Amino acid sequence: MPEAPRDDGPVGSLPPEHRAVLHRWAEEGGPLATRASVVLLAADGLRDAEISRRLGVSRQTVGTWRQRWTSAGIDGLGHRPRTGRPATVDEAEVVTRTLLAPGGSGASRAVAQELGLSHATVAGIRRRWRLSPDEAPAPSIPTRPPLPSAEVWVMGLYVDPRRAVLVAGTRPGPPRQPAAGSVLGTDVLAGLDRAVEAALTAAMARGADGDNSPPYGGLAGYLAEAARGHPDLGLHAITLWETTDGTGSPQQVLAGVQMTHHRIPARSTWRTFLRAVIALDSTSHPESSRRVYLDLAAELERYAAARPDTPCAAVRWLRENVAGHPGTDHRADSTSGSQSRSGVNQIDLGSFNECVVIETVRLSGTITRGEIAHRTGLTQQSVSRIARSLLDRGILIEDAQRRATSGKPRTPVRLCGTAAHALGIHIDPEVLTAVVIDLDGAIVRTRTRPVTADIDPAEFVERVAALGRETLAEARGSVREDGFLGIGVAVPGPVDIASGTVLGPPLMSAWGDLPLLYLLQDHFPCPVLMEKDSTAAAAGERWIGRDRRARDFAYLYLGTGVGTGLYLNGDLYRGISANAGEFGQLCAIALGRVAKDGRPEILPECNPPVSVPELAVRGGMRPVPAAPGGASGSTAAYLAVGEAAAAGDPAAAAAVREVARAVARGALGMVDLLDIDLIVLGGPFFTEDVAGFYLDEIARTVNAFPTARRLRRVAVEPSVLSAEAAAVGAASTIFHATFTPRLRGRESRARHLPAG
């Protein structure tokens, strides 16, 4: 046996701050309680034998911790790193990974593998926190003492140089199990983490002397304010950390407040515990959590940015009263931001459920049948039956098998790109474009043909039809006859979709009131759809963009005029007349450009190929020679100015920036009107040379000036589509009409798909 350490007698006097920490450890229980008790008893003069008898531990254990204290002080009592499995498991980290796992993939085995723990350990923690529906009606947070098993809200946070206190609220009533995946989004969570770190660093830098308020006076006032503001909730003050000797502690402060005091679980750190509680809140109350935590992050950032000598500097954040906000059953996917779709397990909705499965596979790229069932809410049997049918028809194909942690390997499926094709035709005042794309959005064949605005309507229709036939003929070797679904046609608005008529298109006066759709149907024995060019571009962006565009967005289309395509609530938004997205008048109103009769002006800035060259010449740039048969506002002139702007020509750059600024003001109104957080820029005049000007100006405007800017950050991104955005989008409208799951609107849309 190893020799017991020598009995060294008293360990010496303890500083008050160390004695307070050791007393707290001894009261909390757990491994640190024994170590703290050894040191406290030794400091009182007890010898090893007596300490061993009182604590019920061996003299070897007593001698070990006396020696650790003597050599390293209070730090010597902590856990030392060791190889292999960690001595302790941070339960809050397990909870956070479970709740915030992307796509609802927070199963015990997946979390265990990620953290290097056993499945049994993770499953035990989930039971301890009651995160499974079969364990309890709601999670239970094992603070000391535990919070009640009820619906829990994060209500407030107080931080000053001495302590951090979290205020939680509980409310009677039927609680809800947290959803799989947080709706906050990685951007909000990452920003909140950074704000917490900045506030903590600032608090530590200020130190106890940096807070000029009376000891704990600020905390007392804060807790009293929280109690007054939320009388309908049971309130709980949870001490995250504190650096005091216990004088004026939160327990004493709470004596006069209707609020109970708790400490974080012994098996968690304050950082991971805070993140776990936030994860619970965000998954239980998705209807408000994003705004709430954007506000909290802003408050923490203000505290971190305050001068160190600011009197009474402290974070004093309180959530608004939640009594009037009972919440909803709305859930969202945390990775993509999209609303999750649920299937319906009924035979008469089989075609809808097929679309649900196809949409899930398309957004994921490759996915197993089990994952499809988890994401859609369909039963495993329904998914297997639908997948088998889609595999037999060649719409899906099986990918390489994945090794599973248990059981047989899983075989994921993906869309077969060659299973379906569509033709898209874009009609522009200067050029006709036709493309054939496959189900993955890859361009199989593309052709263009010039056109002039004064062409005879009959000849124009024949030219469009001929271009479509030629493009299909060239793609015949790559297109299955049974997989060609139809033709989409993109035209400038306004359009009458019901009658298939183009109504007074800009720069195309000879084609006004032309029943283009029905004339084209005479040339093709297949379904033909018509869309506004901006709406078609939005359909293509959604289809080709997959998970990158799996949320609401507006497609800002820079063509002969500026228009918008809207993808809202999981579907294209066309409006009552299918002409939603007219953008020019929105810009005019935003800029105050109204004619004498009150009508918003037709802004030249909303016709980039005309306005940009004219503004550049007005600013001192040499005129661009007109293309044959064209004018200074032709595509060639616009491209030349864009090239000059990219090269640093000040007049060209100023012209592009002025147009971008006008477009940005319209985009600002659109963001405030629709409450969206993504704008996509594309179209034939959104070229690489001018992209930076538009992206920078629009991003600055839509984030600096909206009324609700505290609640969201608007992303402004370039389109994933090529220069043929409208043509590719027109073809994508066929896929969208065929495969996108929609319970409402499918019948009305189907009447525009002629039999064939």
Side-chain angles (χ1 to χ4, degrees), residues 26 29 54 401 420 450 477:
R54 289 195 183 189
Q401 288 186 339

Side-chain angles (χ1 to χ4, degrees), residues 85-86 89 94 107-126:
R85 190 177 302 281
V89 177
V94 174
S108 294
R109 294 189 185 278
V111 174
Q113 185 176 15
E114 182 181 359
L115 296 178
L117 304 173
S118 69
H119 166 57
T121 298
V122 174
I125 293 171
R126 288 168 63 104

Side-chain angles (χ1 to χ4, degrees), residues 225-500:
E225 180 185 355
R228 287 193 303 270
H230 304 90
D232 55 310
L233 297 176
L235 294 181
H236 311 264
I238 306 169
T239 297
L240 300 177
W241 58 267
E242 61 179 329
T243 56
T244 73
D245 58 1
T247 303
S249 64
Q251 296 99 311
Q252 296 170 323
V253 171
L254 288 168
V257 181
Q258 295 298 315
M259 195 178 300
T260 58
H261 179 255
H262 307 258
R263 294 192 178 276
I264 65 174
R267 302 175 186 176
S268 300
T269 67
W270 75 265
R271 296 169 189 265
T272 57
F273 175 79
L274 178 61
R275 188 172 174 85
V277 175
I278 287 173
L280 274 171
D281 185 281
S282 69
T283 52
S284 300
H285 314 115
E287 65 282 347
S288 64
S289 60
R290 184 177 180 89
R291 172 188 49 76
V292 165
Y293 292 116
L294 282 169
D295 274 351
L296 174 56
E299 186 64 32
L300 289 164
E301 289 167 355
R302 281 194 292 270
Y303 173 72
R307 293 179 50 176
D309 57 351
T310 302
C312 305
V315 176
R316 298 173 57 93
W317 175 79
L318 279 175
R319 188 174 189 160
E320 82 288 358
N321 197 313
V322 297
H325 305 280
T328 67
D329 291 328
H330 173 70
R331 292 290 184 262
D333 185 292
S334 65
T335 305
S336 64
S338 67
Q339 296 178 10
S340 55
R341 298 185 179 277
S342 294
V344 183
N345 295 291
Q346 298 180 9
I347 298 298
D348 60 340
L349 289 180
S351 60
F352 173 77
N353 285 347
E354 282 189 352
C355 291
V356 168
V357 171
I358 291 171
E359 178 82 344
T360 304
V361 174
R362 186 182 70 81
L363 292 177
S364 303
T366 61
I367 187 172
T368 65
R369 294 164 178 80
E371 290 169 335
I372 294 173
H374 180 78
R375 295 188 184 187
T376 62
L378 292 166
T379 64
Q380 187 75 46
Q381 294 84 352
S382 294
V383 171
S384 296
R385 174 180 53 79
I386 293 171
R388 186 164 52 249
S389 173
L390 295 175
L391 286 165
D392 292 341
R393 287 144 60 189
I395 297 174
L396 299 183
I397 57 176
E398 292 186 332
D399 218 330
Q401 288 186 339
R402 295 179 185 170
R403 185 179 300 275
T405 55
S406 62
K408 64 180 182 179
R410 299 181 177 90
T411 304
V413 295
R414 59 181 174 86
L415 283 182
C416 177
T418 59
H421 292 81
L423 170 67
I425 301 175
H426 177 214
I427 296 174
D428 182 83
E430 294 185 1
V431 64
L432 304 176
T433 304
V435 300
V436 174
I437 65 171
D438 67 16
L439 201 53
D440 284 330
I443 295 179
V444 176
R445 193 71 57 194
T446 180
R447 283 181 63 90
T448 60
R449 175 173 292 183
V451 66
T452 58
D454 57 354
I455 188 174
D456 178 75
E459 183 182 352
F460 167 70
V461 173
E462 179 57 42
R463 189 170 295 186
V464 173
L467 179 65
R469 287 192 297 266
E470 292 165 7
T471 309
L472 284 174
E474 292 180 2
R476 182 167 291 120
S478 304
V479 177
R480 288 171 26 187
E481 286 189 11
D482 60 344
F484 183 73
L485 300 181
I487 301 171
V489 182
V491 298
V495 295
D496 179 3
I497 293 296
S499 65

